[in-house]
């Protein structure tokens, strides 16, 4: 299936995000992260059943992409999955991340203390929520080692917005970047998504006011029913 | 269909809400209201199509029930409905309500300036988000006149959590209370729901951690798939 839709470059995505949370649109981070993380969790239910893929390792980065991952983990637990978190570095910049972590813990979601490679044991599905549209190299430890492990794994990976380690506008920095099986773009696909060759590409973030789409000249597909996600391309395996 | 499930009395519902937003669970109002309002909007899509019921009047009260209504209105606009707001008294207690209103306005949702009875013209469906589980009589103007008009209308009414004007634990205070066609209970049905005789009863608020259900001894039905609402009883008309 080939669909024509727009892409949002790194610099524009950053402005877009600022606009959403300014006087212009009036959103707060807590709302948008809830809807974004929910859309990631819902996208996963469309392609990976809780029965076949119960054990989900959520890789949580230090910024907003990690926050989306924490929200997704919590919703997945309500959907019957058994998520666990790899969350090596907690940012103290945004107090809300602590709340998101607490919410996960109160849903009995364990935080792994092991080496990343140990975390992959008994894992059916990986959510890559390390880095999002704000990513700039270089990648530092412990993310470097974790991404190396993700490059070598056969476990399917779902990347949130941007495959971690990829340049947001240019794609994989070398032939060895991670190869997610699913990509869930948020608000609009970033240019690197053109180089995504995995099975499932979804879009989430059904909260953008019409005038913002016009202002940023964005052409995006329609979401079905009350879904918070829409398939851009897919080859269903259920 | 008869299902056995628990009810949460007014006093317990208030404690429950406090627990959700305390250290115990770690949620913030902005998250819970987003999910609650979304569940109301999604419930509506299950029984009232945007094609047959495009014009939705959302009656917004001064507290959290009104906030849920503002969130529902915004999601309904994304789902293809044409919501409009009756929002006579803006509370200055919670600054977030201003943000919620702004988000609606930025989605081109009009705020009606007319008399309430005028607002009912060209309305296919009414969302009653005046008062929720915190309601205590007496009802003051302009809500008294609005509820009188709702008692007399033939337009279907969807009540959020509690039919406005009903006693949370005892139900309608007199034979003339409003008679919603749909009730969307939030987190758990309140005792007044036992006296609800409309066509559709849904439950929303799929965010309660397991331990809270145990602690409050709540038995609730399972939500399907990734839905944020579940039908408690229904007679589908679509």
């Amino acid at each position: 299936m080939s669909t024509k839709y727009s892409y949002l470059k790194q610099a524009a995505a950053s402005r877009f995000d600022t606009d959403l949370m300014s006087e212009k649109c009036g959103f707060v981070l807590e709302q948008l992260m809830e809807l974004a993380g929910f859309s990631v969790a819902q996208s996963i239910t469309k392609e990976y059943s809780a029965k076949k893929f119960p054990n989900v390792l959520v890789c949580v980065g230090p910024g907003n992409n990690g926050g989306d991952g924490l929200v997704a983990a919590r919703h997945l637990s309500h959907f019957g999955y058994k998520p666990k978190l790899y969350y090596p570095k907690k940012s103290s910049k945004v107090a809300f991340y602590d709340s998101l972590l607490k919410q996960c813990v109160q849903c009995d979601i364990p935080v792994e203390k092991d080496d990343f490679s140990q975390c992959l044991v008994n894992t059916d599905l990986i959510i890559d929520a390390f880095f999002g549209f704000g990513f700039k190299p270089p990648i530092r430890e412990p993310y470097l080692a974790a991404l190396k492990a993700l490059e070598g794994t056969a476990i399917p990976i779902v990347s949130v917005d941007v495959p971690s380690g990829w340049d947001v506008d240019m794609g994989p920095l070398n032939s060895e970047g991670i190869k997610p099986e699913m990509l869930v773009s948020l608000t609009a696909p970033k240019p690197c998504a053109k180089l995504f060759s995995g099975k499932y590409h979804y879009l989430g973030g059904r909260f953008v006011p019409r005038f913002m789409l016009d202002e940023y000249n964005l052409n995006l597909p329609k979401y079905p029913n009350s879904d918070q996600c829409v398939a851009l391309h897919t080859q269903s395996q259920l």
Side-chain angles (χ1 to χ4, degrees), chain A residues 122-176:
Chain A
N122 286 327
T123 289
D124 304 308
L125 188 68
I126 297 162
I127 301 186
D128 154 34
F130 276 140
F131 307 120
F133 69 80
F135 172 71
K136 305 256 175 169
I139 304 167
R140 295 195 172 81
E141 293 298 354
Y143 306 109
L144 199 57
L147 286 175
K148 269 277 164 234
L150 289 185
E151 282 173 26
T153 186
I155 304 165
I157 299 170
V158 179
S159 284
V160 177
D161 203 22
V162 172
S164 293
W166 287 25
D167 183 274
V168 177
D169 291 339
M170 307 296 286
L173 292 171
N174 56 54
S175 60
E176 292 179 349

Side-chain angles (χ1 to χ4, degrees), chain A residues 17 21 27-34 64 94 96-97:
Chain A
D17 209 47
M21 288 184 277
F27 286 106
V28 297
L29 178 72
E30 290 81 353
Q31 291 178 284
L32 296 184
M33 201 165 268
E34 193 62 36
N64 284 352
V94 182
F96 181 55
Y97 297 152

Side-chain angles (χ1 to χ4, degrees), chain A residues 53-206:
Chain A
F53 300 88
N55 300 300
V56 183
L57 176 68
V58 185
C59 301
V60 183
N64 284 352
N65 202 252
D68 296 338
L70 290 171
V71 173
R74 169 166 42 86
H75 285 290
L76 286 172
S77 84
H78 287 297
F79 298 163
Y81 296 80
K82 286 180 187 146
K84 52 189 176 180
L85 306 177
Y86 174 72
Y87 190 9
K89 268 184 166 176
K90 287 155 200 79
S91 165
S92 54
K93 268 197 290 185
V94 182
F96 181 55
Y97 297 152
D98 293 338
S99 302
L100 290 177
L101 176 61
K102 165 144 231 165
Q103 294 160 26
C104 282
V105 171
Q106 298 302 63
C107 284
D108 301 319
I109 298 172
V111 185
E112 297 291 324
K113 301 287 177 206
D114 287 328
D115 245 33
F116 187 71
S117 53
Q118 273 303 307
C119 296
L120 295 180
V121 178
N122 286 327
T123 289
D124 304 308
L125 188 68
I126 297 162
I127 301 186
D128 154 34
F130 276 140
F131 307 120
F133 69 80
F135 172 71
K136 305 256 175 169
I139 304 167
R140 295 195 172 81
E141 293 298 354
Y143 306 109
L144 199 57
L147 286 175
K148 269 277 164 234
L150 289 185
E151 282 173 26
T153 186
I155 304 165
I157 299 170
V158 179
S159 284
V160 177
D161 203 22
V162 172
S164 293
W166 287 25
D167 183 274
V168 177
D169 291 339
M170 307 296 286
L173 292 171
N174 56 54
S175 60
E176 292 179 349
I178 67 166
K179 290 181 184 62
E181 185 168 273
M182 183 182 207
L183 173 63
V184 184
S185 295
L186 294 173
T187 65
K190 311 305 172 292
C192 63
K194 292 177 194 170
L195 291 152
F196 168 72
S197 59
K199 285 184 186 170
Y200 316 112
H201 188 191
Y202 276 70
L203 177 68
R206 191 181 186 175

Side-chain angles (χ1 to χ4, degrees), chain A residues 8 17 39-40 43 55 69 117 135 148-149 197 207 209 229-230:
Chain A
L8 203 52
D17 209 47
S39 74
V40 170
S43 299
N55 300 300
S117 53
F135 172 71
K148 269 277 164 234
S197 59
F207 48 66
C229 63
V230 55

